[in-house]
């Protein structure tokens, strides 16, 4: 095993300056001494680490959003991560392109992948669509049209061309996410799928089948129970017992100072607070990461620390 590197104030991958007083950095799980300045450098370092993987687990997040807080939280727990995937991350990945799908499938085939998290788009699956809305300007307007229902969760027929494209893309993301968690469960890996509690996705036959598999949990929580500024009920379908223990909070006790969800009308364009809070609260990310770390330790405990005298005995 190569000797531990001495930290010299630079990222262990890109060699850029790294001041740990202002940026904590991500320490290599192999304890090789390298410190990465960001999750992308952290993800790339595992392929160049002098100590290689040493049997360590790896986490992958799909449709992570531009800031990928969950991947960052998992990396801070000392778990190797794959590059988080989302088209909003500098345009480096597009699920709907051939190269994007090839990239995803390559990451799913990673022999070190032990856990994956999926969060497909939820706008077209929203049960709130099709309702009249009061805007902050005092107008009562018709909201975005409903595209699905509980009876037709994969989409209505005879939609406009633009809505057909949105529904078809949402369906592709939803189906691949359900498939990803199901495959992880069948292959002995951990997998999780997140969507709003009232999403029409949960009424698809594929999602219902996933929820009924032995060993699969349906975890319920509101974002405000993990530091979120609004009530936002969410479902997490997964096979991580520790995550269910730490994250399942079906009874919100209520919190002071929460903000309402509003619709803003600016020059005839409607914007929603839900769009600005699509990413997970940081407290929730840290709790998920701790749960995953604990579960991985239960599955593959560290070797016991045995002294030389004990070995001789």
């Amino acid at each position: 095993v190569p000797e531990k590197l001495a930290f010299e104030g630079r990222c262990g991958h890109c060699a850029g300056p790294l001041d740990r007083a202002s940026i904590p950095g991500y320490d290599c799980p192999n304890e090789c001494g390298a410190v990465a300045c960001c999750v992308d450098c952290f993800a790339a370092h595992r392929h160049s680490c002098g100590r290689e993987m040493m049997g360590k687990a790896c986490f992958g997040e799909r449709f992570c959003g531009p800031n990928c807080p969950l991947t960052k939280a998992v990396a801070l727990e000392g778990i190797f991560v794959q590059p988080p995937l989302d088209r909003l991350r500098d345009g480096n990945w597009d699920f709907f392109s051939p190269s994007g799908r090839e990239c995803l499938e390559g990451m799913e085939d990673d022999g070190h992948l032990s856990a994956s998290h999926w969060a497909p788009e939820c706008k077209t699956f929203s049960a709130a669509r099709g309702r009249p809305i009061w805007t902050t300007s005092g107008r009562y307007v018709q909201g975005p049209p409903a595209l699905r229902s509980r009876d037709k969760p994969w989409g209505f027929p005879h939609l406009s061309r633009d809505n057909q494209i949105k529904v078809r893309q949402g369906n592709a993301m939803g189906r691949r996410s359900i498939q990803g968690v199901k495959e992880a469960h069948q292959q002995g890996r951990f997998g999780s799928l997140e969507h709003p509690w009232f999403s029409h996705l949960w009424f698809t036959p594929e999602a219902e089948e996933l929820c009924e598999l032995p060993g699969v949990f349906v975890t319920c929580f509101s974002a405000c129970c993990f530091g979120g500024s609004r009530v936002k009920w969410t479902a997490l379908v997964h096979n991580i017992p520790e995550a269910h223990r730490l994250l399942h909070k079906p009874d919100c006790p209520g919190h002071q100072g929460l903000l309402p969800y509003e619709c803003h009308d600016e020059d005839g364009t409607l914007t929603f607070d839900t769009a600005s809070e699509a990413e997970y609260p940081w407290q929730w990310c840290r709790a998920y990461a701790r749960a995953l770390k604990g579960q991985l330790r239960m599955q593959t405990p560290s070797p016991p620390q045995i002294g030389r005298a004990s070995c001789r005995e």
Side-chain angles (χ1 to χ4, degrees), residues 190-254:
F190 296 119
S192 56
L193 166 61
E194 175 273 322
H195 235 231
W197 180 257
F198 299 103
S199 169
H200 289 310
L201 179 69
W202 303 125
F203 295 94
T204 63
E206 292 85 344
E208 290 179 342
E209 178 186 353
L210 175 64
C211 294
E212 293 172 358
L213 291 176
V216 170
F217 297 86
V218 179
T219 298
C220 172
F221 62 91
S222 175
C224 60
C225 292
F226 293 93
S229 60
R230 292 178 171 86
V231 175
K232 182 181 180 182
W233 287 102
T234 303
L236 184 75
V237 174
H238 61 98
N239 62 346
I240 312 170
E242 275 295 288
H244 187 71
R245 185 179 70 83
L246 290 180
L247 303 178
H248 188 53
K249 297 182 182 294
D251 299 313
C252 176

Side-chain angles (χ1 to χ4, degrees), residues 2-284:
E3 291 295 325
K4 185 174 182 178
L5 303 173
F7 178 66
E8 298 179 348
R10 293 191 173 276
C11 172
H13 180 72
C14 70
L18 175 58
D19 180 8
R20 300 207 73 176
S22 57
I23 301 176
Y26 302 91
D27 293 278
C28 175
N30 284 340
E31 299 181 357
C32 74
V35 183
C37 63
C38 63
V39 291
D40 292 298
C41 285
F42 183 72
H45 170 71
R46 77 182 180 102
H47 297 291
S48 59
C49 178
R51 298 186 176 187
E52 300 181 346
M53 285 292 288
M54 294 178 63
K56 295 294 178 69
C58 186
F59 168 82
E61 186 178 9
R62 294 76 172 90
F63 315 121
C64 63
N67 298 316
C68 56
L70 182 57
T71 296
K72 293 175 180 177
V74 171
L76 286 174
E77 289 295 330
I79 301 172
F80 277 117
V81 300
Q82 294 178 335
L85 298 179
D86 197 286
R87 66 182 181 85
L88 297 179
R89 296 196 71 240
D90 302 322
N92 65 344
W93 180 74
D94 183 3
F95 171 71
F96 300 107
S97 69
S99 61
R101 289 192 292 272
E102 182 180 356
C103 174
L104 173 61
E105 299 309 320
M107 291 191 177
E108 282 291 289
D109 291 337
D110 184 344
H112 293 284
L113 182 65
S114 297
S116 57
H117 177 76
W118 304 74
E121 70 87 13
C122 57
K123 289 181 180 179
T124 67
F125 286 94
S126 174
R129 298 181 68 106
R131 302 175 184 175
I133 301 172
W134 279 107
T135 69
T136 52
S137 64
R139 290 202 309 144
Y140 195 54
V141 299
Q142 183 66 36
L147 304 178
R148 313 172 187 272
S149 68
R150 291 190 176 187
D151 295 331
K152 296 187 180 299
W154 288 124
F156 294 137
H158 313 304
L159 295 171
S160 68
R161 178 177 175 80
D162 287 345
N163 285 333
Q164 283 181 14
I165 294 174
K166 292 177 182 178
V167 167
R168 187 164 60 248
Q169 290 181 341
N171 289 350
M173 296 172 73
R175 283 193 168 99
R176 185 63 187 89
S177 299
I178 294 171
Q179 177 190 348
V181 178
K182 185 176 181 180
E183 289 176 348
H185 187 56
Q186 292 172 338
Q187 295 169 10
R189 295 185 282 112
F190 296 119
S192 56
L193 166 61
E194 175 273 322
H195 235 231
W197 180 257
F198 299 103
S199 169
H200 289 310
L201 179 69
W202 303 125
F203 295 94
T204 63
E206 292 85 344
E208 290 179 342
E209 178 186 353
L210 175 64
C211 294
E212 293 172 358
L213 291 176
V216 170
F217 297 86
V218 179
T219 298
C220 172
F221 62 91
S222 175
C224 60
C225 292
F226 293 93
S229 60
R230 292 178 171 86
V231 175
K232 182 181 180 182
W233 287 102
T234 303
L236 184 75
V237 174
H238 61 98
N239 62 346
I240 312 170
E242 275 295 288
H244 187 71
R245 185 179 70 83
L246 290 180
L247 303 178
H248 188 53
K249 297 182 182 294
D251 299 313
C252 176
H255 303 87
Q256 296 291 331
L258 294 181
L259 302 176
Y261 278 108
E262 296 179 318
C263 175
H264 307 276
D265 181 8
E266 299 178 2
D267 300 325
T269 301
L270 301 180
T271 59
F272 299 85
D273 289 332
T274 49
S276 64
E277 294 191 358
E279 294 186 331
Y280 309 128
W282 182 240
Q283 290 182 25
W284 185 87

